[in-house]
Amino acid sequence: MRRPLIAGNWKMNLTREQSRNLATAIAMDANTSRADVVLCPPAIYLETVLETARSIRTVGNEFGIGAQNVYDKPNGAFTGEISTAMLEDLGIGYVILGHSERRQFMHESDDVVNAKLNTVLASSLTPIVCVGETLEEREAGRTLEVVGRQFEGAFAGVSEGLASRAILAYEPVWAIGTGKTATPEQAQEVHHDLRKLAVLRYNSALGDSLRILYGGSVKADNAAELLSQADIDGALVGGASLQADTFLRIIAAAR
Ligand code: PGA
């Protein structure tokens, strides 16, 4: 049985005060009996959100705080970057890797995602590795080829033992922040294909236990249907994670 996970990616939004208020409301009311919950605020507010959540409930795997990015080097002259050791030092449990916005705007290649994944898996952090095709790629019938390349690229050289700690997120680029959600059937098809790729690359035990989240315009009113698909094990939520009531409704929609 794969335990659902609902992660909120706040992206570059909110003030410190708003982050504190949102974290308070979610930490107070999030029901983690059926799903793990992870909040991913901007890096500068990680400590605020962590301390806020800790003042209300236990923070760990079931209710965790995640970073939106991390660098692959342990320390040194890398101006502006943050290391896994720094995140661990704070008590952060998760990190998003290879988000399409980082691939698009910060030019993160599959090789960069691979280097970061290796670094994260050598730490105690749990990576959420994002893959997804653009509209052009989908319309050209290249979805499986693209997400397959991203999956293989990210996991190149990663052992089965380490890969079993990773979480995958399928986020079709054309559905992110656009209000266009993949239909449950479209999402399920790709999730199923990704699970098959994990089985082929590793083995069926890893494929069966791999958690694959869906992301891309997940809202309170479409979450239940998406989450009811056989191979959809949770959601990576952007816009709808910025309001406590909507995000709590998405958490409640997890089976
Ligand atoms: P969205 O973003 O829910 O606003 O579409 C999802 C994501 O990018 O993780």
Side-chain angles (χ1 to χ4, degrees), residues 9 11 99 171 175-177 216-217 236-239:
N9 175 7
K11 307 192 180 182
H99 190 280
E171 298 206 308
I176 295 178
S217 298
L236 181 51
V237 187

Side-chain angles (χ1 to χ4, degrees), residues 116-146:
K116 291 185 175 190
L117 180 60
N118 275 292
T119 300
V120 167
L121 288 172
S123 76
S124 62
L125 297 163
T126 299
I128 301 173
V129 182
C130 304
V131 299
E133 83 289 2
T134 63
L135 185 58
E136 202 185 2
E137 289 162 343
R138 171 164 284 265
E139 285 176 346
R142 295 179 51 219
T143 299
L144 181 56
E145 172 201 327
V146 171

Side-chain angles (χ1 to χ4, degrees), residues 1-3 117 121 127 129 151-152 155 157-168 191-212 231 233:
M1 265 307 279
R2 299 181 296 266
R3 189 171 149 80
L117 180 60
L121 288 172
V129 182
F151 171 78
E152 293 295 336
F155 285 85
V158 175
S159 70
E160 181 212 328
L162 289 176
S164 67
R165 296 212 302 104
I167 295 167
L168 211 57
H191 281 234
H192 184 70
D193 287 342
L194 282 167
R195 199 176 300 291
K196 275 199 299 205
L197 288 177
V199 170
L200 287 174
R201 177 169 182 82
Y202 294 104
N203 53 47
S204 57
L206 189 141
D208 283 346
S209 61
L210 179 68
R211 292 197 283 183
I212 310 178
D231 290 292
D233 309 313

Side-chain angles (χ1 to χ4, degrees), residues 25-254:
I26 296 167
M28 299 244 288
D29 288 334
N31 178 352
T32 54
S33 63
R34 281 175 302 178
D36 294 338
V37 173
V38 178
L39 307 182
C40 302
I44 197 166
Y45 301 138
L46 279 169
E47 188 162 22
T48 298
V49 167
L50 184 65
E51 294 306 326
T52 301
R54 274 186 178 153
S55 70
I56 295 165
R57 64 194 298 160
T58 304
V59 174
N61 287 335
E62 293 190 2
F63 190 92
I65 309 298
Q68 297 173 14
N69 177 41
V70 73
Y71 200 50
D72 68 292
K73 303 293 187 297
N75 61 273
F78 303 106
T79 302
E81 295 297 329
I82 293 173
S83 71
T84 54
M86 291 169 185
L87 295 175
E88 288 177 305
D89 188 23
L90 223 55
I92 300 304
Y94 294 84
V95 60
I96 298 170
L97 295 180
H99 190 280
S100 64
E101 285 150 16
R102 294 208 60 87
R103 292 180 189 262
Q104 184 183 348
F105 303 126
M106 283 72 178
H107 311 292
E108 281 194 9
S109 62
D110 291 333
D111 287 349
V112 168
V113 178
N114 177 244
K116 291 185 175 190
L117 180 60
N118 275 292
T119 300
V120 167
L121 288 172
S123 76
S124 62
L125 297 163
T126 299
I128 301 173
V129 182
C130 304
V131 299
E133 83 289 2
T134 63
L135 185 58
E136 202 185 2
E137 289 162 343
R138 171 164 284 265
E139 285 176 346
R142 295 179 51 219
T143 299
L144 181 56
E145 172 201 327
V146 171
V147 299
R149 188 203 72 222
Q150 292 170 336
F151 171 78
E152 293 295 336
F155 285 85
V158 175
S159 70
E160 181 212 328
L162 289 176
S164 67
R165 296 212 302 104
I167 295 167
L168 211 57
Y170 169 57
E171 298 206 308
V173 178
W174 47 273
I176 295 178
T178 58
K180 275 190 217 158
T181 325
T183 64
E185 295 73 25
Q186 282 174 323
Q188 163 59 25
E189 186 184 2
V190 181
H191 281 234
H192 184 70
D193 287 342
L194 282 167
R195 199 176 300 291
K196 275 199 299 205
L197 288 177
V199 170
L200 287 174
R201 177 169 182 82
Y202 294 104
N203 53 47
S204 57
L206 189 141
D208 283 346
S209 61
L210 179 68
R211 292 197 283 183
I212 310 178
L213 317 181
Y214 171 77
S217 298
V218 176
K219 308 281 180 229
D221 57 8
N222 62 21
E225 209 185 345
L226 286 160
L227 293 169
S228 70
Q229 301 299 308
D231 290 292
I232 300 184
D233 309 313
L236 181 51
V237 187
S241 72
L242 295 173
Q243 278 180 340
D245 55 342
T246 8
F247 191 61
L248 288 166
R249 282 173 62 201
I250 295 171
I251 295 169

